[in-house]
Amino acid sequence: MSYSVGQVAAFAGVTVRTLHHYDKAGLLSPSERSPAGYRLYGEADLVRLQQILFYRELGFPLDEIAAIFKDPQANPLERLRDRQRQLNEEIARLQRLVEVAERAIEVQKTGVPLTPEERFEVFGEVAFDLSYATEAELKWAHSDRQREAMARADAHTKEDWRRLMGEAAAWRAELLAVFDEGEPSDGERAMDLAEEHRLHIARWFTSCPPDMHRRIADDFVADPRAFALVVPPSQQRPGLAAYTRNAVHANAARHAGDGTEGEENR
């Protein structure tokens, strides 16, 4: 039996254009001709088409499919195993994206509802990056403190947020002053500011022992989105994120030295 391009396209579920593309790419060319000179696909061609469509369904690019057909020494099984590994990795990546989307939906729904004007009035330039929030949620998903922080944030009223952000603004102004005056990050003023920040977290979100505070501060340097929650980009200076991180680490070391490392709410 021989079949025309249109017939093959119809029962294979592809377009005529796709078959012409496979022909031009050297993947599959009709091997027979009708008495009138029309090119026709034979049984062997259909078997090859089935293989092409199988590989395409698994996501193989056309050039790799062509290499499999051209190389008699090619091991399709090894290629399939490699593709299986790639697909499993992609499935895991997509599952993580699903989790991020689910957390984004939850984060989007949390917090006190504010109009755009009220949001600017309360938060000013501090921007709450949703992508960072959802990644943090995934990173600390099994942390009791993270769950407590989200629950307490959700329960804050507009007035709570106003007071919270007022405290943060005053602290930020002092941090910028200390930095601009050239105070060392392990000096008393910088360490005291680090301690104020730690207690601010404990007061409004969750208990924050020094070891946890160190991890939070490490994110200030590793991820600009994290530091933007503390100091808006318009107020940042070169080296300020690292300075703040170093002050937090120095303060944590001070706690370890005076035996108050476990003290969280003074």
Side-chain angles (χ1 to χ4, degrees):
M1 292 289 292
S2 299
Y3 305 91
S4 69
V5 175
Q7 288 175 315
V8 172
F11 62 66
V14 298
T15 65
V16 170
R17 183 176 180 180
T18 296
L19 293 176
H20 286 162
H21 181 62
Y22 291 167
D23 189 2
K24 290 180 180 179
L27 272 175
L28 177 65
S29 298
S31 59
E32 301 178 13
R33 286 188 181 273
S34 70
Y38 293 105
R39 303 176 73 186
L40 301 173
Y41 292 89
E43 294 292 340
D45 299 328
L46 297 183
V47 171
R48 187 179 178 102
L49 175 59
Q50 187 178 36
Q51 292 174 319
I52 293 171
L53 296 179
F54 170 72
Y55 285 124
R56 289 296 290 154
E57 184 68 19
L58 290 176
F60 281 83
L62 292 181
D63 57 351
E64 191 169 347
I65 298 173
I68 293 173
F69 290 151
K70 287 178 181 177
D71 184 3
Q73 303 300 318
N75 187 337
L77 182 59
E78 285 302 314
R79 290 180 182 268
L80 287 171
R81 285 174 175 160
D82 185 57
R83 184 56 185 162
Q84 181 186 42
R85 177 186 57 78
Q86 294 173 9
L87 289 171
N88 282 331
E89 291 175 355
E90 180 66 7
I91 289 170
R93 186 185 74 83
L94 291 174
Q95 183 58 46
R96 288 194 297 272
L97 288 179
V98 169
E99 293 173 358
V100 168
E102 289 174 347
R103 295 304 303 142
I105 291 170
E106 291 186 27
V107 171
Q108 188 84 349
K109 294 188 296 185
T110 62
V112 61
L114 299 173
T115 66
E117 293 78 12
E118 289 174 324
R119 184 168 295 278
F120 184 78
E121 175 192 347
V122 172
F123 293 98
E125 295 182 72
V126 176
F128 192 68
D129 191 309
L130 187 60
S131 64
Y132 177 75
T134 53
E135 288 175 19
E137 276 290 285
L138 290 176
K139 180 179 180 181
W140 305 103
H142 302 294
S143 166
D144 290 338
R145 287 194 175 96
Q146 174 68 10
R147 287 191 288 271
E148 179 189 4
M150 291 301 296
R152 289 180 63 185
D154 190 30
H156 288 339
T157 64
K158 177 182 174 180
E159 186 55 36
D160 289 334
W161 282 111
R162 195 190 306 277
R163 290 174 53 208
L164 185 162
M165 296 305 294
E167 285 184 13
W171 175 87
R172 184 164 58 248
E174 184 64 21
L175 172 70
L176 294 174
V178 168
F179 179 80
D180 290 342
E181 291 168 14
E183 290 281 343
S185 60
D186 59 353
E188 187 172 349
R189 289 180 67 191
M191 287 191 294
D192 286 348
L193 282 170
E195 178 65 5
E196 285 183 29
H197 183 260
R198 186 178 77 88
L199 296 178
H200 174 84
I201 295 172
R203 186 160 49 250
W204 291 104
F205 299 103
T206 185
S207 58
C208 183
D211 62 331
M212 177 180 172
H213 200 207
R214 280 194 294 262
R215 292 196 297 272
I216 292 172
D218 287 341
D219 268 359
F220 293 166
V221 175
D223 193 329
R225 298 172 301 175
F227 194 56
L229 293 174
V230 178
V231 180
S234 65
Q235 298 180 36
Q236 291 180 15
R237 280 84 155 138
L240 181 60
Y243 179 91
T244 308
R245 188 253 338 253
N246 293 342
V248 169
H249 277 254
N251 182 58
R254 176 173 64 168
H255 276 298
D258 65 15
T260 61
E261 186 167 358
E263 193 177 329
E264 299 172 9
N265 294 287
R266 294 188 300 176

